[in-house]
């Protein structure tokens, strides 16, 4: 399973919309770097089930981004802030603070 | 039922996370200005049921905003854009375009 930074960024934005179980699965794999088997075994689950469950979380994250576009808007705002550096650094910082809060 | 502009703004942001039925109810009351009875009657529903259903939609919208804060961040970014008017109008427009897209 490809560990895409984009999904970590989407997770950071949309994790509140996931269930506890979905958050736990995602963190185990993407943050604590556990293999699918390592995640599956303690629960007596199968590697394939864990794979499908994590795939479902990623699909959810893509759906939320398609609906709300927070990630894409944040990227554009970061670009605006970057272009302001050198001329209006305070404003650039203000924009980045709003995105990150 | 108080027809708060804030809920219309939240609806415009988060409607994609609602069900078709929830969207329909909200639009009937807040956009087409139908009374609770007018919404209830064609479906053989009660005024009270419609009231509760719309209240639930508003609770959902509040929950999404608490989790994702898009509305609050947009307000802050609009303020940044407003402060840029007069000095960097292009950048102000750029920020507003990103929020609105």
């Amino acid at each position: 399973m490809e560990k895409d930074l984009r999904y970590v960024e989407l997770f950071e934005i949309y994790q509140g919309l996931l269930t506890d179980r979905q958050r736990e699965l995602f963190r185990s794999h993407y943050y604590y770097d556990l293999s699918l088997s390592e995640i599956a075994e303690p629960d007596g689950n199968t590697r394939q089930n864990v794979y499908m469950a994590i795939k479902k979380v990623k699909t959810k994250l893509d759906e939320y981004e398609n609906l709300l576009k927070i990630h894409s808007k944040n990227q554009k705002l970061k670009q605006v802030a970057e272009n302001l550096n050198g001329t209006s650094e305070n404003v650039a910082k203000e924009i980045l603070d709003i995105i990150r809060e």
Side-chain angles (χ1 to χ4, degrees), chain A:
Chain A
M1 193 177 287
E2 191 193 322
K3 296 200 184 178
D4 189 341
L5 174 64
R6 178 180 159 81
Y7 281 109
V8 173
E9 291 176 350
L10 292 180
F11 180 79
E12 278 167 17
I13 295 170
Y14 298 114
Q15 58 177 297
L17 299 176
L18 301 172
T19 65
D20 286 347
R21 173 72 183 145
Q22 288 173 327
R23 271 193 291 273
E24 193 191 320
L25 272 175
F26 190 93
R27 281 205 199 98
S28 299
H29 195 52
Y30 281 83
Y31 286 56
Y32 309 133
D33 205 32
L34 298 182
S35 71
L36 298 176
S37 308
E38 284 169 328
I39 297 169
E41 276 167 21
D43 298 336
N45 213 329
T46 65
R47 192 187 172 287
Q48 176 66 9
N49 274 350
V50 171
Y51 174 84
M52 294 304 292
I54 292 179
K55 200 173 156 193
K56 194 176 149 191
V57 176
K58 291 166 75 180
T59 304
K60 278 272 155 213
L61 293 174
D62 283 327
E63 279 173 17
Y64 293 140
E65 175 60 11
N66 282 338
L67 286 169
L68 299 167
K69 302 191 171 45
I70 306 180
H71 185 267
S72 134
K73 290 182 179 193
N74 283 355
Q75 295 301 107
K76 287 175 191 167
L77 289 165
K78 278 181 199 167
Q79 192 56 57
V80 171
E82 205 165 292
N83 296 342
L84 283 170
N85 264 328
T87 56
S88 314
E89 275 166 36
N90 286 348
V91 183
K93 190 180 172 304
E94 223 178 323
I95 293 171
L96 293 177
D97 284 347
I98 293 170
I99 297 175
R100 285 172 190 150
E101 76 192 7

